[in-house]
Short mmCIF file of all heavy atoms in Angstrom, two decimals:
data_model
loop_
_atom_site.label_atom_id
_atom_site.label_comp_id
_atom_site.label_asym_id
_atom_site.label_seq_id
_atom_site.Cartn_x
_atom_site.Cartn_y
_atom_site.Cartn_z
N ASP A 1 -3.41 -6.79 16.90
CA ASP A 1 -2.32 -5.78 16.76
C ASP A 1 -1.18 -6.15 17.62
O ASP A 1 -1.21 -6.03 18.83
CB ASP A 1 -2.93 -4.40 17.10
CG ASP A 1 -1.88 -3.27 17.10
OD1 ASP A 1 -0.78 -3.38 16.45
OD2 ASP A 1 -2.07 -2.31 17.79
N ALA A 2 -0.04 -6.55 17.05
CA ALA A 2 1.17 -6.92 17.81
C ALA A 2 2.01 -5.83 18.19
O ALA A 2 3.07 -5.93 18.74
CB ALA A 2 1.94 -7.95 17.04
N GLY A 3 1.52 -4.59 17.90
CA GLY A 3 2.36 -3.38 18.21
C GLY A 3 2.62 -3.17 19.71
O GLY A 3 3.59 -2.59 20.05
N ARG A 4 1.76 -3.79 20.48
CA ARG A 4 2.04 -3.61 22.01
C ARG A 4 3.01 -4.72 22.49
O ARG A 4 3.28 -4.70 23.67
CB ARG A 4 0.73 -3.62 22.77
CG ARG A 4 -0.04 -4.87 22.49
CD ARG A 4 -1.49 -4.77 23.09
NE ARG A 4 -2.30 -5.72 22.36
CZ ARG A 4 -3.57 -5.82 22.49
NH1 ARG A 4 -4.21 -5.10 23.38
NH2 ARG A 4 -4.30 -6.82 21.83
N PHE A 5 3.38 -5.65 21.66
CA PHE A 5 4.35 -6.73 22.06
C PHE A 5 5.68 -6.40 21.47
O PHE A 5 5.88 -5.66 20.60
CB PHE A 5 3.86 -8.11 21.52
CG PHE A 5 2.42 -8.37 21.84
CD1 PHE A 5 1.54 -8.66 20.86
CD2 PHE A 5 2.00 -8.40 23.21
CE1 PHE A 5 0.15 -8.96 21.12
CE2 PHE A 5 0.58 -8.67 23.46
CZ PHE A 5 -0.27 -8.93 22.42
N GLY A 6 6.68 -7.18 21.98
CA GLY A 6 8.02 -7.10 21.45
C GLY A 6 8.84 -5.98 21.95
O GLY A 6 9.71 -5.45 21.29
N ARG A 7 8.61 -5.48 23.15
CA ARG A 7 9.39 -4.45 23.74
C ARG A 7 10.52 -5.07 24.51
O ARG A 7 10.36 -6.10 25.25
CB ARG A 7 8.56 -3.67 24.69
CG ARG A 7 7.46 -2.78 23.99
CD ARG A 7 6.51 -2.15 24.97
NE ARG A 7 5.76 -3.16 25.62
CZ ARG A 7 5.15 -3.04 26.75
NH1 ARG A 7 5.18 -1.93 27.40
NH2 ARG A 7 4.53 -4.04 27.30
N LEU A 8 11.70 -4.57 24.29
CA LEU A 8 12.90 -5.10 24.91
C LEU A 8 12.80 -5.32 26.39
O LEU A 8 12.37 -4.40 27.15
CB LEU A 8 14.09 -4.21 24.59
CG LEU A 8 15.51 -4.69 24.96
CD1 LEU A 8 15.77 -5.98 24.26
CD2 LEU A 8 16.51 -3.67 24.65
N GLY A 9 13.05 -6.45 26.85
CA GLY A 9 13.09 -6.73 28.34
C GLY A 9 11.75 -7.04 28.88
O GLY A 9 11.62 -7.26 30.09
N VAL A 10 10.73 -7.13 28.10
CA VAL A 10 9.36 -7.40 28.57
C VAL A 10 8.94 -8.82 28.20
O VAL A 10 9.03 -9.19 26.95
CB VAL A 10 8.33 -6.38 28.04
CG1 VAL A 10 6.88 -6.72 28.47
CG2 VAL A 10 8.67 -4.97 28.42
N ASN A 11 8.48 -9.61 29.18
CA ASN A 11 7.95 -10.96 28.87
C ASN A 11 6.55 -10.75 28.29
O ASN A 11 5.61 -10.20 28.94
CB ASN A 11 7.92 -11.74 30.19
CG ASN A 11 7.49 -13.15 29.89
OD1 ASN A 11 6.59 -13.47 29.14
ND2 ASN A 11 8.24 -14.08 30.53
N ASP A 12 6.34 -11.24 27.07
CA ASP A 12 5.04 -11.10 26.41
C ASP A 12 4.08 -12.26 26.59
O ASP A 12 2.92 -12.26 26.00
CB ASP A 12 5.35 -10.96 24.95
CG ASP A 12 6.12 -9.73 24.54
OD1 ASP A 12 5.74 -8.62 25.02
OD2 ASP A 12 7.13 -9.89 23.85
N THR A 13 4.47 -13.21 27.46
CA THR A 13 3.66 -14.42 27.59
C THR A 13 2.25 -14.13 27.99
O THR A 13 1.22 -14.60 27.32
CB THR A 13 4.28 -15.40 28.63
OG1 THR A 13 5.57 -15.64 28.23
CG2 THR A 13 3.45 -16.66 28.78
N ALA A 14 1.98 -13.39 29.06
CA ALA A 14 0.58 -13.15 29.50
C ALA A 14 -0.22 -12.34 28.44
O ALA A 14 -1.35 -12.63 28.24
CB ALA A 14 0.63 -12.42 30.86
N ALA A 15 0.37 -11.38 27.89
CA ALA A 15 -0.34 -10.52 26.86
C ALA A 15 -0.72 -11.43 25.63
O ALA A 15 -1.85 -11.32 25.13
CB ALA A 15 0.51 -9.34 26.49
N LEU A 16 0.20 -12.20 25.20
CA LEU A 16 -0.08 -12.98 23.96
C LEU A 16 -1.18 -14.01 24.30
O LEU A 16 -2.02 -14.26 23.55
CB LEU A 16 1.27 -13.72 23.48
CG LEU A 16 2.19 -12.81 22.78
CD1 LEU A 16 3.58 -13.52 22.65
CD2 LEU A 16 1.69 -12.39 21.43
N GLN A 17 -1.11 -14.64 25.55
CA GLN A 17 -2.10 -15.63 25.87
C GLN A 17 -3.45 -14.97 25.96
O GLN A 17 -4.44 -15.64 25.54
CB GLN A 17 -1.71 -16.23 27.25
CG GLN A 17 -2.59 -17.45 27.61
CD GLN A 17 -2.43 -18.57 26.65
OE1 GLN A 17 -1.29 -19.04 26.49
NE2 GLN A 17 -3.46 -19.01 26.02
N ARG A 18 -3.58 -13.77 26.49
CA ARG A 18 -4.90 -13.11 26.54
C ARG A 18 -5.41 -12.98 25.14
O ARG A 18 -6.63 -13.11 24.84
CB ARG A 18 -4.78 -11.73 27.22
CG ARG A 18 -4.84 -11.85 28.71
CD ARG A 18 -5.00 -10.50 29.33
NE ARG A 18 -3.99 -9.58 29.07
CZ ARG A 18 -2.79 -9.43 29.78
NH1 ARG A 18 -2.54 -10.23 30.73
NH2 ARG A 18 -1.90 -8.53 29.37
N VAL A 19 -4.55 -12.58 24.18
CA VAL A 19 -5.02 -12.39 22.82
C VAL A 19 -5.43 -13.69 22.21
O VAL A 19 -6.45 -13.84 21.53
CB VAL A 19 -3.94 -11.70 21.91
CG1 VAL A 19 -4.31 -11.58 20.52
CG2 VAL A 19 -3.66 -10.28 22.44
N LEU A 20 -4.65 -14.76 22.41
CA LEU A 20 -4.93 -16.06 21.87
C LEU A 20 -6.31 -16.61 22.39
O LEU A 20 -7.01 -17.29 21.78
CB LEU A 20 -3.84 -17.12 22.25
CG LEU A 20 -2.63 -17.15 21.43
CD1 LEU A 20 -1.55 -17.97 22.12
CD2 LEU A 20 -2.91 -17.58 20.01
N ASP A 21 -6.63 -16.27 23.61
CA ASP A 21 -7.90 -16.62 24.33
C ASP A 21 -9.03 -15.78 23.93
O ASP A 21 -10.21 -16.19 24.23
CB ASP A 21 -7.71 -16.67 25.80
CG ASP A 21 -6.80 -17.79 26.24
OD1 ASP A 21 -6.52 -18.72 25.54
OD2 ASP A 21 -6.26 -17.61 27.41
N ASP A 22 -8.85 -14.70 23.28
CA ASP A 22 -9.95 -13.71 22.91
C ASP A 22 -10.71 -14.30 21.79
O ASP A 22 -10.19 -14.53 20.72
CB ASP A 22 -9.32 -12.39 22.47
CG ASP A 22 -10.48 -11.37 22.12
OD1 ASP A 22 -11.61 -11.73 21.92
OD2 ASP A 22 -9.98 -10.15 21.96
N PRO A 23 -11.97 -14.61 21.93
CA PRO A 23 -12.87 -15.27 20.91
C PRO A 23 -13.04 -14.36 19.65
O PRO A 23 -13.36 -14.83 18.60
CB PRO A 23 -14.16 -15.51 21.55
CG PRO A 23 -14.23 -14.65 22.72
CD PRO A 23 -12.80 -14.44 23.08
N ASN A 24 -12.75 -13.10 19.83
CA ASN A 24 -12.85 -12.17 18.69
C ASN A 24 -11.63 -12.09 17.76
O ASN A 24 -11.61 -11.51 16.76
CB ASN A 24 -13.26 -10.75 19.20
CG ASN A 24 -14.62 -10.73 19.80
OD1 ASN A 24 -15.57 -11.19 19.26
ND2 ASN A 24 -14.57 -10.16 20.97
N CYS A 25 -10.51 -12.71 18.34
CA CYS A 25 -9.25 -12.68 17.61
C CYS A 25 -9.17 -13.78 16.64
O CYS A 25 -9.34 -15.03 17.10
CB CYS A 25 -8.12 -12.66 18.57
SG CYS A 25 -6.50 -12.77 17.73
N GLU A 26 -8.92 -13.54 15.38
CA GLU A 26 -8.79 -14.67 14.39
C GLU A 26 -7.36 -14.94 13.98
O GLU A 26 -6.98 -16.04 13.64
CB GLU A 26 -9.60 -14.33 13.18
CG GLU A 26 -11.08 -14.23 13.42
CD GLU A 26 -11.85 -13.81 12.13
OE1 GLU A 26 -11.20 -13.68 11.06
OE2 GLU A 26 -13.10 -13.64 12.24
N GLU A 27 -6.51 -13.83 14.16
CA GLU A 27 -5.10 -14.14 13.76
C GLU A 27 -4.27 -13.06 14.54
O GLU A 27 -4.58 -11.93 14.81
CB GLU A 27 -4.90 -13.80 12.35
CG GLU A 27 -3.47 -13.97 11.76
CD GLU A 27 -3.21 -13.81 10.30
OE1 GLU A 27 -4.02 -13.12 9.74
OE2 GLU A 27 -2.25 -14.28 9.82
N ILE A 28 -3.05 -13.58 14.97
CA ILE A 28 -2.08 -12.81 15.61
C ILE A 28 -0.82 -12.84 14.62
O ILE A 28 -0.31 -13.88 14.23
CB ILE A 28 -1.55 -13.38 16.96
CG1 ILE A 28 -2.83 -13.49 17.92
CG2 ILE A 28 -0.47 -12.53 17.57
CD1 ILE A 28 -2.57 -14.25 19.10
N VAL A 29 -0.38 -11.61 14.25
CA VAL A 29 0.76 -11.50 13.36
C VAL A 29 1.88 -10.85 14.15
O VAL A 29 1.73 -9.76 14.59
CB VAL A 29 0.39 -10.71 12.12
CG1 VAL A 29 1.65 -10.54 11.20
CG2 VAL A 29 -0.71 -11.37 11.35
N LEU A 30 3.01 -11.64 14.34
CA LEU A 30 4.08 -10.95 14.87
C LEU A 30 5.17 -10.57 13.86
O LEU A 30 5.75 -11.38 13.22
CB LEU A 30 4.79 -12.01 15.87
CG LEU A 30 3.89 -12.61 17.04
CD1 LEU A 30 4.62 -13.55 17.80
CD2 LEU A 30 3.34 -11.47 17.84
N PRO A 31 5.36 -9.26 13.67
CA PRO A 31 6.07 -8.71 12.60
C PRO A 31 7.56 -8.90 12.79
O PRO A 31 8.01 -9.05 13.94
CB PRO A 31 5.72 -7.24 12.49
CG PRO A 31 5.32 -6.86 13.90
CD PRO A 31 4.61 -8.19 14.52
N GLY A 32 8.35 -8.82 11.72
CA GLY A 32 9.81 -8.93 11.80
C GLY A 32 10.32 -7.68 12.43
O GLY A 32 9.68 -6.62 12.56
N GLY A 33 11.60 -7.80 12.85
CA GLY A 33 12.28 -6.63 13.37
C GLY A 33 12.10 -6.45 14.91
O GLY A 33 12.59 -5.44 15.48
N ARG A 34 11.40 -7.29 15.55
CA ARG A 34 11.22 -7.28 17.01
C ARG A 34 11.53 -8.65 17.54
O ARG A 34 11.46 -9.60 16.93
CB ARG A 34 9.78 -7.01 17.33
CG ARG A 34 9.34 -5.60 16.93
CD ARG A 34 7.94 -5.41 17.40
NE ARG A 34 7.55 -4.02 17.02
CZ ARG A 34 6.32 -3.57 17.27
NH1 ARG A 34 5.39 -4.35 17.90
NH2 ARG A 34 5.97 -2.39 16.88
N THR A 35 11.88 -8.67 18.78
CA THR A 35 12.08 -9.88 19.60
C THR A 35 10.95 -10.06 20.64
O THR A 35 10.68 -9.24 21.41
CB THR A 35 13.44 -9.83 20.38
OG1 THR A 35 14.45 -9.56 19.44
CG2 THR A 35 13.67 -11.04 21.13
N PHE A 36 10.30 -11.21 20.51
CA PHE A 36 9.10 -11.50 21.31
C PHE A 36 9.53 -12.49 22.30
O PHE A 36 10.11 -13.58 22.00
CB PHE A 36 7.97 -12.05 20.45
CG PHE A 36 7.39 -11.05 19.48
CD1 PHE A 36 8.01 -10.88 18.24
CD2 PHE A 36 6.48 -10.10 19.84
CE1 PHE A 36 7.54 -9.94 17.36
CE2 PHE A 36 6.07 -9.13 18.99
CZ PHE A 36 6.57 -9.06 17.66
N SER A 37 9.36 -12.25 23.55
CA SER A 37 9.78 -13.03 24.65
C SER A 37 8.54 -13.76 25.32
O SER A 37 7.66 -13.10 25.76
CB SER A 37 10.45 -12.15 25.68
OG SER A 37 10.85 -13.00 26.77
N ALA A 38 8.54 -15.03 25.13
CA ALA A 38 7.38 -15.74 25.70
C ALA A 38 7.86 -17.23 26.07
O ALA A 38 8.62 -17.86 25.47
CB ALA A 38 6.26 -15.88 24.66
N SER A 39 7.18 -17.67 27.17
CA SER A 39 7.37 -19.13 27.54
C SER A 39 6.15 -19.79 26.88
O SER A 39 5.68 -19.38 25.90
CB SER A 39 7.43 -19.22 29.09
OG SER A 39 6.32 -18.76 29.69
N ALA A 40 5.77 -20.91 27.46
CA ALA A 40 4.70 -21.69 26.80
C ALA A 40 3.44 -20.96 26.61
O ALA A 40 2.94 -20.31 27.54
CB ALA A 40 4.38 -22.95 27.72
N LEU A 41 2.88 -21.02 25.36
CA LEU A 41 1.59 -20.48 25.04
C LEU A 41 0.63 -21.63 24.79
O LEU A 41 1.05 -22.65 24.17
CB LEU A 41 1.63 -19.55 23.81
CG LEU A 41 2.54 -18.33 24.02
CD1 LEU A 41 2.79 -17.65 22.57
CD2 LEU A 41 1.91 -17.37 24.86
N PHE A 42 -0.68 -21.47 25.12
CA PHE A 42 -1.61 -22.48 25.03
C PHE A 42 -2.67 -22.08 23.99
O PHE A 42 -3.37 -21.09 24.17
CB PHE A 42 -2.30 -22.84 26.32
CG PHE A 42 -1.31 -23.30 27.40
CD1 PHE A 42 -0.71 -22.35 28.19
CD2 PHE A 42 -1.02 -24.67 27.46
CE1 PHE A 42 0.25 -22.85 29.18
CE2 PHE A 42 -0.06 -25.11 28.35
CZ PHE A 42 0.50 -24.19 29.26
N VAL A 43 -2.86 -22.87 22.90
CA VAL A 43 -3.90 -22.62 21.92
C VAL A 43 -4.98 -23.57 22.32
O VAL A 43 -4.92 -24.73 22.11
CB VAL A 43 -3.25 -22.86 20.48
CG1 VAL A 43 -4.47 -22.59 19.43
CG2 VAL A 43 -2.16 -22.02 20.19
N ARG A 44 -6.11 -22.89 22.79
CA ARG A 44 -7.21 -23.71 23.30
C ARG A 44 -8.39 -23.73 22.39
O ARG A 44 -9.39 -24.22 22.67
CB ARG A 44 -7.66 -23.02 24.69
CG ARG A 44 -6.62 -23.02 25.71
CD ARG A 44 -7.09 -22.37 26.99
NE ARG A 44 -6.16 -22.51 28.00
CZ ARG A 44 -5.43 -21.45 28.51
NH1 ARG A 44 -5.57 -20.25 28.07
NH2 ARG A 44 -4.59 -21.65 29.49
N ARG A 45 -8.18 -23.22 21.16
CA ARG A 45 -9.23 -23.29 20.16
C ARG A 45 -8.62 -23.41 18.77
O ARG A 45 -7.39 -23.19 18.56
CB ARG A 45 -10.15 -22.01 20.20
CG ARG A 45 -9.37 -20.69 20.19
CD ARG A 45 -10.11 -19.51 20.61
NE ARG A 45 -9.44 -18.28 20.33
CZ ARG A 45 -9.68 -17.49 19.27
NH1 ARG A 45 -10.70 -17.72 18.51
NH2 ARG A 45 -9.01 -16.45 19.11
N SER A 46 -9.37 -23.89 17.78
CA SER A 46 -8.92 -24.08 16.53
C SER A 46 -9.11 -23.03 15.49
O SER A 46 -8.62 -23.17 14.37
CB SER A 46 -9.64 -25.46 15.97
OG SER A 46 -10.96 -25.25 15.87
N ASP A 47 -9.78 -21.93 15.87
CA ASP A 47 -10.02 -20.85 14.90
C ASP A 47 -9.21 -19.67 15.10
O ASP A 47 -9.68 -18.55 14.87
CB ASP A 47 -11.54 -20.50 14.98
CG ASP A 47 -11.96 -19.99 16.41
OD1 ASP A 47 -11.19 -20.18 17.36
OD2 ASP A 47 -13.00 -19.38 16.48
N VAL A 48 -7.96 -19.85 15.50
CA VAL A 48 -7.03 -18.73 15.61
C VAL A 48 -5.71 -19.11 14.91
O VAL A 48 -5.33 -20.29 14.95
CB VAL A 48 -6.79 -18.36 17.07
CG1 VAL A 48 -6.12 -19.50 17.92
CG2 VAL A 48 -6.02 -17.10 17.25
N THR A 49 -5.03 -18.17 14.35
CA THR A 49 -3.76 -18.33 13.62
C THR A 49 -2.75 -17.46 14.19
O THR A 49 -2.92 -16.26 14.46
CB THR A 49 -3.95 -18.04 12.09
OG1 THR A 49 -5.01 -18.86 11.51
CG2 THR A 49 -2.69 -18.22 11.35
N LEU A 50 -1.58 -18.03 14.49
CA LEU A 50 -0.44 -17.28 15.05
C LEU A 50 0.63 -17.30 13.89
O LEU A 50 1.12 -18.36 13.47
CB LEU A 50 0.16 -17.99 16.21
CG LEU A 50 1.37 -17.31 16.89
CD1 LEU A 50 1.18 -15.90 17.25
CD2 LEU A 50 1.87 -18.20 18.00
N THR A 51 0.87 -16.07 13.34
CA THR A 51 1.84 -15.95 12.24
C THR A 51 3.08 -15.23 12.66
O THR A 51 3.03 -14.14 13.29
CB THR A 51 1.10 -15.19 11.08
OG1 THR A 51 -0.07 -15.89 10.71
CG2 THR A 51 2.05 -15.03 9.87
N LEU A 52 4.24 -15.76 12.40
CA LEU A 52 5.52 -15.23 12.84
C LEU A 52 6.19 -14.81 11.46
O LEU A 52 6.33 -15.58 10.52
CB LEU A 52 6.41 -16.24 13.51
CG LEU A 52 5.87 -16.79 14.78
CD1 LEU A 52 6.73 -17.93 15.25
CD2 LEU A 52 5.68 -15.76 15.80
N ASP A 53 6.75 -13.66 11.38
CA ASP A 53 7.54 -13.32 10.22
C ASP A 53 8.87 -14.09 10.26
O ASP A 53 9.67 -13.88 11.18
CB ASP A 53 7.84 -11.75 10.21
CG ASP A 53 8.70 -11.27 9.07
OD1 ASP A 53 9.77 -11.90 8.80
OD2 ASP A 53 8.28 -10.31 8.41
N ARG A 54 8.96 -15.03 9.30
CA ARG A 54 10.12 -15.94 9.35
C ARG A 54 11.50 -15.31 9.11
O ARG A 54 12.50 -15.87 9.43
CB ARG A 54 9.89 -17.09 8.48
CG ARG A 54 9.91 -16.75 7.04
CD ARG A 54 9.62 -17.85 6.18
NE ARG A 54 9.61 -17.47 4.72
CZ ARG A 54 10.33 -18.10 3.78
NH1 ARG A 54 10.95 -19.10 4.13
NH2 ARG A 54 10.25 -17.60 2.56
N LYS A 55 11.50 -14.08 8.55
CA LYS A 55 12.86 -13.48 8.18
C LYS A 55 13.51 -12.83 9.37
O LYS A 55 14.78 -12.91 9.48
CB LYS A 55 12.54 -12.54 7.10
CG LYS A 55 12.29 -13.13 5.75
CD LYS A 55 12.13 -12.21 4.66
CE LYS A 55 11.79 -12.77 3.40
NZ LYS A 55 11.64 -11.90 2.30
N SER A 56 12.75 -12.22 10.31
CA SER A 56 13.48 -11.44 11.31
C SER A 56 12.85 -11.56 12.69
O SER A 56 13.45 -11.04 13.57
CB SER A 56 13.63 -9.96 10.87
OG SER A 56 12.31 -9.46 10.64
N THR A 57 11.74 -12.17 12.87
CA THR A 57 11.17 -12.31 14.18
C THR A 57 11.67 -13.51 14.89
O THR A 57 11.86 -14.57 14.34
CB THR A 57 9.63 -12.41 14.13
OG1 THR A 57 9.18 -11.24 13.48
CG2 THR A 57 8.99 -12.53 15.48
N ARG A 58 12.09 -13.34 16.14
CA ARG A 58 12.54 -14.44 16.97
C ARG A 58 11.66 -14.61 18.24
O ARG A 58 11.21 -13.59 18.82
CB ARG A 58 13.91 -14.21 17.45
CG ARG A 58 14.92 -14.05 16.33
CD ARG A 58 16.26 -13.73 16.87
NE ARG A 58 16.22 -12.62 17.73
CZ ARG A 58 17.15 -12.24 18.59
NH1 ARG A 58 18.28 -13.04 18.62
NH2 ARG A 58 17.10 -11.19 19.32
N LEU A 59 11.35 -15.82 18.59
CA LEU A 59 10.71 -15.99 19.86
C LEU A 59 11.65 -16.53 20.81
O LEU A 59 12.18 -17.65 20.60
CB LEU A 59 9.53 -17.08 19.62
CG LEU A 59 8.11 -16.64 20.11
CD1 LEU A 59 7.60 -15.48 19.26
CD2 LEU A 59 7.25 -17.69 20.18
N ASN A 60 11.82 -15.80 21.86
CA ASN A 60 12.77 -16.23 22.90
C ASN A 60 12.00 -16.87 24.08
O ASN A 60 11.04 -16.26 24.51
CB ASN A 60 13.58 -15.02 23.47
CG ASN A 60 14.56 -14.50 22.41
OD1 ASN A 60 14.99 -15.25 21.56
ND2 ASN A 60 14.81 -13.19 22.46
N SER A 61 12.53 -17.97 24.54
CA SER A 61 11.89 -18.55 25.70
C SER A 61 12.49 -17.91 26.97
O SER A 61 13.66 -17.78 27.07
CB SER A 61 12.13 -19.93 25.71
OG SER A 61 11.40 -20.57 26.78
N SER A 62 11.65 -17.34 27.93
CA SER A 62 12.14 -16.81 29.07
C SER A 62 11.18 -16.95 30.21
O SER A 62 9.95 -17.18 30.10
CB SER A 62 12.39 -15.33 28.80
OG SER A 62 11.20 -14.68 28.63
N HIS A 63 11.62 -16.89 31.45
CA HIS A 63 10.93 -17.01 32.70
C HIS A 63 9.79 -18.04 32.59
O HIS A 63 8.94 -18.02 31.73
CB HIS A 63 10.19 -15.59 32.95
CG HIS A 63 11.14 -14.47 32.84
ND1 HIS A 63 12.18 -14.26 33.63
CD2 HIS A 63 11.18 -13.40 31.97
CE1 HIS A 63 12.83 -13.15 33.37
NE2 HIS A 63 12.24 -12.62 32.34
N ASN A 64 9.83 -18.89 33.56
CA ASN A 64 8.71 -19.84 33.67
C ASN A 64 7.53 -19.12 34.17
O ASN A 64 7.59 -18.56 35.26
CB ASN A 64 8.99 -21.05 34.56
CG ASN A 64 10.07 -21.94 33.94
OD1 ASN A 64 10.13 -22.07 32.79
ND2 ASN A 64 10.94 -22.52 34.78
N GLN A 65 6.47 -19.07 33.48
CA GLN A 65 5.30 -18.18 33.82
C GLN A 65 4.04 -19.02 33.41
O GLN A 65 3.93 -19.43 32.31
CB GLN A 65 5.41 -16.88 33.14
CG GLN A 65 4.16 -15.94 33.46
CD GLN A 65 4.34 -14.62 32.70
OE1 GLN A 65 5.32 -14.33 32.08
NE2 GLN A 65 3.40 -13.78 32.86
N THR A 66 3.17 -19.15 34.33
CA THR A 66 1.91 -19.82 33.90
C THR A 66 0.89 -18.68 33.49
O THR A 66 0.68 -17.76 34.25
CB THR A 66 1.35 -20.56 35.21
OG1 THR A 66 2.31 -21.44 35.68
CG2 THR A 66 0.06 -21.22 34.90
N PRO A 67 0.22 -18.85 32.42
CA PRO A 67 -0.67 -17.84 31.91
C PRO A 67 -1.97 -17.86 32.85
O PRO A 67 -2.30 -18.85 33.41
CB PRO A 67 -1.03 -18.35 30.56
CG PRO A 67 -0.71 -19.73 30.47
CD PRO A 67 0.43 -19.97 31.49
N ASP A 68 -2.50 -16.68 33.02
CA ASP A 68 -3.69 -16.52 33.81
C ASP A 68 -4.83 -17.23 33.03
O ASP A 68 -4.96 -17.05 31.90
CB ASP A 68 -4.06 -15.04 33.97
CG ASP A 68 -3.09 -14.30 34.73
OD1 ASP A 68 -2.35 -14.92 35.61
OD2 ASP A 68 -2.89 -13.08 34.49
N ALA A 69 -5.52 -18.12 33.72
CA ALA A 69 -6.63 -18.86 33.09
C ALA A 69 -8.01 -18.56 33.81
O ALA A 69 -7.99 -18.25 34.86
CB ALA A 69 -6.36 -20.26 32.96
#
């Protein structure tokens, strides 16, 4: 559920990384109409899909932040 991401002025890197690392998560869908702010994300497994709405979603790179591991 990407509803908790994409809030103006909030860096989504740590939250997105936690979801990517969750073994129960199979797909993350970032819907259009929001701006998602994230620096480097690490995909550590092959059974997860990250889908971006290509028409209106933008991923902005911001703040150098190391994800909690």
Side-chain angles (χ1 to χ4, degrees):
D1 176 21
R4 59 188 156 185
F5 308 123
R7 292 172 293 159
L8 187 62
V10 175
N11 185 318
D12 298 308
T13 303
L16 286 168
Q17 188 64 59
R18 277 193 300 275
V19 175
L20 279 169
D21 292 341
D22 181 349
N24 295 313
C25 179
E26 295 177 5
E27 182 177 21
I28 300 169
V29 178
L30 302 180
R34 292 187 183 176
T35 300
F36 298 89
S37 177
S39 55
L41 295 170
F42 299 92
V43 180
R44 298 179 175 110
R45 55 197 188 100
S46 61
D47 60 342
V48 65
T49 302
L50 177 60
T51 303
L52 305 170
D53 181 307
R54 67 184 179 127
K55 292 183 180 178
S56 58
T57 299
R58 300 177 306 164
L59 230 70
N60 291 330
S61 186
S62 67
H63 311 296
N64 290 331
Q65 180 178 358
T66 303
D68 298 331

